[in-house]
Amino acid sequence: MSEQRPTWCPGCGDFAILAALREALVQEGLAPHQVAVVSGIGCGSKLPDYMRVLGFMTLHGRPLPVATGLRLARPDLRVVVVDGDGDAYGIGGNHWLHTCRRNPGLVHLVENNQIYALTKGQYSPTTDQGTRTTTSPEGAPERPVNPIRTALAAGATFVARGFAGEPKELARLIRAALRHRGYALVDILQPCVTFNKINTYDWYAERIVRLEEAGHDPSDFDAAWARSGEFGERIPVGVFYRSEEVPAYEERVPGLKRGPLVERPLDELDEATWEALKRELI
Amino acid sequence: MGEGWATLSAGDGKPGRKAEEQDVSLVIGGDAGQGVESSGAGFSTALARAGYHVFSIADYRSRIRGGHNFYQIRAATRPVASHLDPPALLLALTAESVELHLENLADGAAVVYDRSFRLDAAAVERAGRLPVPVPMNEIALRHGSKVMMNTAALAAAAGLLRFPLERMEEVVRQNFARKGERVVEANLAVAREAYAEMLRHPAAERFRYRLPGREGQPERMLLHGNHALCLGALAAGCRFVAAYPMTPATTILEWMTAHAEPLGIVTKHAEDELAAVCMAIGAGFGGARAMCSTSGGGFSLMTEALGLAGMTETPVVVVDVQRGGPSTGLPTRTEQGDLLFVLHASQGEFPRFVLAPGDHVEAFEAAMRAFNLAEKYQVPVILLSDQFLASSLRTLEPERLRRDAVPPERGKTRRPGEPPLPEERRDGDYLRFAFTADGISPRVLPGDPDAVYGVPSDEHDEAGHITEEIANRRRMMEKRMRKLETALAAGEMRGPRRLGPEEAEVTLLAWGSTLGPAAEALELLARAGVRANLLHWCDLWPFAGEAAERELRRVRRGVVVEQNYTGQFRRFLRMMTGYEAEGLVRRYDGRPLEPGEIARGVLREVGAGVR
Ligand SMILES: Cc1ncc(C[n+]2csc(CCOP(=O)(O)OP(=O)(O)O)c2C)c(N)n1
Ligand code: SF4
């Protein structure tokens, strides 16, 4: 798909995510036809329309199962999911939990602006408790989802946090995710300059600490768990946890032993197999 | 309408019209957990192998233990496509099942039960039935354990019917093989003793029904509707199945999964139905022939994604095996209550196809056709089945399932590396949603370096970019919807199938799984002196209106037969053709319509005027 001009607000964090993803794909040497970007619905989910890759914009909350189906049918394609925090952690929360424990080879980039942006500023699952929005004039009533901790608890094998204010760093994280075997979550702090006046670039910049620089060992689950509790005065970014030992879901699917489904002819059943199938019922 | 109509039924108590003709129904009744279903399936298999045409249904409640279940088996010397009421033999595994079924048995029917049941044999006699107490429990205990009572019961019934013991033994061997040789031998001993007991039984002489072995019959498969559908899907090249278990669709996912490894099928038990359909759509986008299967409740969840397939023009096959609704409804029972729902499910307007096969062979073919239609027209296709079709077991000659009946066709779809399609490129660019005269845009599967594209769920232009521009929206809507006209013009959609005489006093109008019972009702009507025929629809959307109107013009008195409360098909016919059927025979208690009941209903609706 040839590129369209993004319709995001000037200064939106989604620009940096787009740039970082492009850069990561180029650096990984992936051609446009080898990559499918599957998105949900929301501001950030328009991203595939602004790239030259295979794109599939799905429904609000549903990109993970669509991407899983695509990946299971086509393990030859690199599948990247891009969606918002509302999409991933709210309406698609069930799919997210199960994707974490299923571990398909997907890179999942969540544009976490802690707000519902496309519908103009309602509170999202990651909005801080007490935040006033159009649907929470008295302050958001629930405690926010902690995506890092939830993904760890659900069994995700690659859990990272990035920041849209630092596209170079973000591209590095995405590259690491692309090289991961199974499901790789990159929760991305994405300032929404229009509807979120709290979690701004400056607000984040003051708080960010780098896990790498702090000597964090991503193979240490307990350390990752401990650091996942930090979000406030200090917000760690980088790879919290990575386990390379766990095979991706599609590596364990018996039906794929003969390769990607698309490479097999529709009429491949031979006469003997067909007769045997019918004999089972005699 | 005459008095005689009221008692009109298929099982009129005659053990076959000609001496060599047999058409006998039997019923096995007992508590859930007693093995009623496995006994019924075992007996059905034995009958099929002995050369009979078989049609069986299970009637069970939505629970694992407790509550009365029964299994009804019909064995005949001619092909049968429906269950037959009333049965000539009741095999009672509990005293309660005698109470429940006694009234509904044929005249002279036998009631085989355990001698220890506290049961008033005289009352059974008075009801015109033959009480046949057998020491089933004792025999079972003598050889080890009372769990073998089922074996004793089956063998006793076989003895009474003079059904060959060896056929029963074969099935016993097969069923218990997993449990080891000792269990097999013990069960065989039980079977032989119970069978011998029955040959000596004083009541046996008075029983008129016989099912002797039939030599020289061709081998037949015994399969349920979901099996047939799976075989059709496989033959069509379906290689991806995602579902979330829901009765009565579950056996589709189970059967496909059981064959996944050797046949290279990817199956996925998803976290919910919405995930299942989304996974199928993702796989369909990737170029795999993909399917998801569910029942009405799951279909309700899937509706969101049905529109996604419509908007992104992604081929996918969605199976709705209907059960009684609304809500969780009657989980183990049958209904045709989703017709108007699936025709309209999901917001907005987009092309879809709906096929509602009438029997096992049609289910097989409809599955094959569904995958072709989905790919040729790049749309979602809904296969509308129901519990009755999905779960009824019937015999079929293996050659009736001809996989070359519908060769796979992908239409304007090409895989990476294959030569470009004629309309594929405009000014060197590949346009995934190109405007074409037939509404179908050439589709290049993902992976081609020259065809990189996006498919948005928002409205988009020919290249797949989001736009709300007016002229584009109009053309894009028209392009998508044009596929329906293209399909109709190409003769993809069939009009009604006519069964029975060309000219008739009364015409039954039916769709989906009522085909078998309605066809049999024609015979009953003919026996009662009424010339009736049947128009049956499998293809519901897009509706082949001209063919329907041609047939409907010849209908003198039409009676719609369907399995729902509001007469959805009657309304649908009116909506599509203006035709108003005179009568409606319906059933909405979750039990399948029976031939006799249909015939009686038809006469009730139009009785006064016929003949
Ligand atoms: C089923 C459904 N419900 C609601 C909507 C409306 N909707 C569109 S985007 C959105 C929220 C998006 O929030 P988020 O996922 O955080 O993305 P953002 O816009 O912030 O990037 C909602 C509720 C929809 N499109 N579909
Ligand atoms: S509303 Fe917020 S998230 Fe959406 S484009 Fe504007 S800045 Fe970005």
Side-chain angles (χ1 to χ4, degrees):
Chain A
M1 107 204 246
S2 60
E3 293 157 48
Q4 296 288 101
R5 271 167 61 114
T7 53
W8 293 315
C9 312
C12 173
D14 285 330
F15 285 102
I17 297 172
L18 175 64
L21 176 58
R22 268 191 191 142
E23 164 140 358
L25 292 173
V26 170
Q27 289 192 2
E28 286 298 299
L30 288 159
H33 68 281
Q34 297 171 322
V35 181
V37 179
V38 180
S39 71
I41 295 296
C43 284
S45 287
K46 293 181 176 175
L47 182 144
D49 204 15
Y50 309 144
M51 289 180 79
R52 211 183 96 79
V53 283
L54 288 159
F56 199 153
M57 291 176 51
T58 67
L59 299 163
H60 190 37
R62 315 297 164 213
L64 283 172
V66 172
T68 303
L70 175 59
R71 177 81 181 156
L72 289 183
R74 298 291 305 273
D76 54 320
L77 294 176
R78 205 69 189 90
V79 183
V80 177
V81 175
V82 179
D83 62 354
D85 47 310
D87 227 273
Y89 310 141
I91 187 168
N94 187 36
H95 306 308
W96 176 47
L97 282 184
H98 293 284
T99 306
C100 286
R101 66 186 188 88
R102 185 172 291 143
N103 200 36
L106 300 177
V107 171
H108 188 190
L109 309 180
V110 180
E111 301 153 314
N112 185 354
N113 53 14
Q114 294 169 266
I115 200 84
Y116 278 18
L118 193 65
T119 45
K120 298 199 162 76
Q122 303 79 23
Y123 72 104
S124 90
T126 48
T127 303
D128 285 332
Q129 192 168 21
T131 307
R132 291 172 196 272
T133 73
T134 55
T135 51
S136 59
E138 307 291 324
E142 292 110 341
R143 288 196 289 167
V145 167
N146 177 335
I148 304 296
R149 188 158 268 193
T150 307
L152 287 172
T157 54
F158 182 107
V159 183
R161 180 186 286 134
F163 174 38
E166 297 175 335
K168 284 270 170 258
E169 279 298 314
L170 183 58
R172 259 179 13 108
L173 268 187
I174 298 175
R175 287 187 68 186
L178 280 165
R179 271 178 262 135
H180 183 66
R181 248 173 130 180
Y183 170 74
L185 172 70
V186 187
D187 178 70
I188 304 167
L189 307 170
Q190 176 241 317
C192 167
V193 294
T194 305
F195 294 111
N196 188 339
K197 304 294 186 200
I198 298 169
N199 311 107
T200 60
Y201 285 100
D202 290 344
W203 188 89
Y204 286 124
E206 281 167 22
R207 290 167 170 77
I208 272 173
V209 290
R210 259 177 242 301
L211 286 169
E212 220 176 347
E213 287 165 11
H216 172 68
D217 171 10
S219 67
D220 182 344
F221 183 88
D222 293 335
W225 184 262
R227 307 244 35 174
S228 71
E230 298 172 18
F231 193 95
E233 288 317 303
R234 285 197 315 186
I235 302 178
V237 296
V239 181
F240 283 75
Y241 181 65
R242 170 166 45 201
S243 164
E244 291 295 352
E245 303 312 311
V246 187
Y249 183 86
E250 59 276 15
E251 294 170 33
R252 292 176 282 135
V253 174
L256 280 176
K257 284 189 183 148
R258 302 184 194 182
L261 299 183
V262 75
E263 283 166 17
R264 310 209 335 244
L266 296 181
D267 55 357
E268 70 181 349
L269 277 188
D270 57 70
E271 204 50 38
T273 311
W274 180 242
E275 285 309 313
L277 279 173
K278 293 206 282 187
R279 279 220 76 80
E280 280 176 18
L281 297 166
I282 290 178
Chain B
M1 93 188 179
E3 252 308 281
W5 303 126
T7 55
L8 181 65
S9 88
D12 52 4
K14 307 290 177 308
R17 268 143 282 143
K18 289 189 223 122
E20 70 277 14
E21 245 183 55
Q22 302 290 336
D23 191 346
V24 178
S25 251
L26 49 119
V27 60
I28 305 175
D31 281 346
Q34 264 194 319
V36 171
E37 177 132 25
S38 55
S39 300
F43 209 156
S44 301
T45 307
L47 285 161
R49 294 203 184 139
Y52 285 94
H53 296 270
V54 175
F55 191 98
S56 306
I57 55 169
D59 184 298
Y60 62 103
R61 272 153 237 260
S62 179
R63 49 167 109 164
I64 305 302
R65 285 204 164 266
H68 183 259
N69 283 355
F70 68 91
Y71 203 92
Q72 189 169 331
I73 304 169
R74 176 181 186 183
T77 48
R78 59 178 183 133
V80 281
S82 173
H83 55 310
L84 173 77
D85 223 38
L89 189 154
L90 166 65
L91 188 50
L93 302 180
T94 58
E96 186 199 7
S97 59
V98 180
E99 266 164 51
L100 287 170
H101 289 278
L102 195 62
E103 281 306 306
N104 302 321
L105 299 177
D107 285 339
V111 179
V112 177
Y113 59 98
D114 192 77
R115 204 160 61 183
S116 70
F117 289 174
R118 241 177 286 162
L119 217 138
D120 184 2
V124 174
E125 276 292 357
R126 273 198 305 279
R129 321 292 189 230
L130 189 63
V132 189
V134 187
M136 308 195 266
N137 224 336
E138 273 173 57
I139 296 174
L141 278 173
R142 202 156 36 240
H143 295 277
S145 124
K146 70 178 217 186
V147 298
M148 294 189 291
M149 184 175 121
N150 283 1
T151 305
L154 286 178
L160 189 60
L161 288 158
R162 298 293 186 265
F163 180 74
L165 176 64
E166 314 83 72
R167 294 296 183 184
M168 220 33 135
E169 289 180 339
E170 260 175 50
V171 172
V172 167
R173 251 188 220 107
Q174 190 175 318
N175 285 356
F176 294 102
R178 274 182 300 122
K179 301 198 170 158
E181 195 49 32
R182 279 205 18 229
V183 177
V184 171
E185 283 308 321
N187 274 283
L188 286 175
V190 167
R192 288 181 195 125
E193 193 171 332
Y195 194 86
E197 173 90 21
M198 192 50 92
L199 296 184
R200 292 190 301 268
H201 202 289
E205 280 312 304
R206 294 164 55 204
F207 187 57
R208 297 182 279 140
Y209 301 84
R210 292 279 185 267
L211 289 173
R214 302 181 72 224
E215 294 309 313
Q217 287 293 310
E219 273 187 334
R220 299 193 181 98
M221 312 164 68
L222 185 69
L223 75 174
H224 54 62
N226 278 353
H227 273 143
L229 194 149
C230 286
L231 285 169
L234 261 186
C238 170
R239 297 289 176 268
F240 188 96
V241 184
Y244 185 82
M246 185 169 188
T247 306
T250 310
T251 48
I252 295 175
L253 178 63
E254 288 175 338
W255 196 87
M256 286 293 200
T257 304
H259 294 84
E261 166 123 45
L263 300 179
I265 313 163
V266 175
T267 64
K268 187 72 205 93
H269 166 166
E271 59 268 28
D272 57 35
E273 285 85 351
L274 192 37
V277 66
C278 284
M279 286 178 186
I281 289 172
F285 169 69
R289 285 199 156 186
M291 166 168 104
C292 53
S293 51
T294 186
S295 187
F299 187 82
S300 296
L301 282 180
M302 290 182 178
T303 54
E304 187 194 18
L306 204 65
L308 174 66
M311 182 55 121
T312 57
E313 308 195 31
T314 306
V316 66
V317 174
V318 181
V319 184
D320 174 6
V321 186
Q322 301 163 94
R323 68 189 208 186
S327 184
T328 317
L330 297 170
T332 59
R333 305 202 176 273
T334 201
E335 195 166 272
Q336 295 181 312
D338 299 352
L339 171 62
L340 295 179
F341 174 43
V342 304
L343 287 173
H344 301 112
S346 205
Q347 75 274 20
E349 300 169 299
F350 58 90
R352 76 187 74 196
F353 288 69
V354 181
L355 306 178
D359 61 15
H360 296 54
V361 177
E362 214 165 59
F364 173 77
E365 285 184 7
M368 292 197 283
R369 291 176 59 210
F371 285 95
N372 278 355
L373 291 170
E375 267 204 316
K376 278 167 77 175
Y377 296 91
Q378 304 172 21
V379 291
V381 178
I382 299 162
L383 278 176
L384 200 50
S385 176
D386 58 34
Q387 189 269 343
F388 177 58
L389 172 57
S391 316
S392 57
L393 269 182
R394 69 166 289 175
T395 38
L396 272 186
E397 292 71 24
E399 60 276 12
R400 298 232 10 230
L401 300 189
R402 287 188 34 221
R403 64 187 173 132
D404 55 357
V406 185
E409 280 181 68
R410 308 196 83 153
K412 295 191 220 171
T413 298
R414 80 164 170 90
R415 294 192 292 180
E418 289 174 354
L421 298 159
E423 294 174 273
E424 192 177 297
R425 247 154 258 271
R426 195 175 308 154
D427 307 326
D429 274 334
Y430 169 64
L431 300 174
R432 170 65 190 94
F433 302 103
F435 297 126
T436 55
D438 58 8
I440 306 164
S441 314
R443 170 170 171 247
V444 183
L445 299 182
D448 189 311
D450 296 326
V452 175
Y453 56 91
V455 296
S457 57
D458 279 25
E459 188 57 280
H460 44 260
D461 63 15
E462 288 182 277
H465 297 302
I466 298 175
T467 171
E468 296 177 14
E469 202 259 320
I470 294 174
N472 178 77
R473 164 67 176 181
R474 289 211 177 114
R475 288 185 76 188
M476 203 48 89
M477 275 301 276
E478 289 155 9
K479 177 199 104 75
R480 284 192 295 264
M481 298 309 288
R482 205 147 58 225
K483 295 175 187 181
L484 295 177
E485 292 149 39
T486 301
L488 285 174
E492 302 270 17
M493 304 313 283
R494 302 171 184 173
R497 169 147 65 116
R498 182 162 15 80
L499 276 79
E502 206 164 313
E503 293 297 329
E505 293 169 82
V506 186
T507 299
L508 279 55
L509 306 159
W511 66 281
S513 77
T514 49
L515 172 65
E520 184 143 349
L522 297 183
E523 290 178 37
L524 300 179
L525 288 164
R527 264 197 255 169
V530 177
R531 237 178 126 70
N533 62 10
L534 165 68
L535 293 180
H536 178 268
W537 276 265
C538 167
D539 296 10
L540 297 173
W541 198 265
F543 190 66
E546 277 175 36
E549 278 164 26
R550 215 164 31 242
E551 287 292 344
L552 288 171
R553 268 199 293 277
R554 307 172 51 170
V555 172
R556 265 188 249 163
R557 318 197 61 178
V559 179
V560 171
V561 176
E562 59 184 318
Q563 196 91 36
N564 58 51
Y565 183 88
T566 54
Q568 296 188 20
F569 187 65
R570 183 196 211 182
R571 281 199 274 162
F572 175 68
L573 272 187
R574 191 195 306 142
M575 178 173 99
M576 298 310 295
T577 65
Y579 174 81
E580 179 70 54
E582 195 167 321
L584 173 66
V585 173
R586 58 190 178 141
R587 184 164 187 169
Y588 44 85
D589 57 11
R591 277 68 174 175
L593 275 160
E594 289 149 13
E597 176 189 14
I598 295 174
R600 286 192 299 275
V602 166
L603 291 164
R604 195 176 51 239
E605 291 288 288
V606 296
V610 294
R611 269 198 299 174

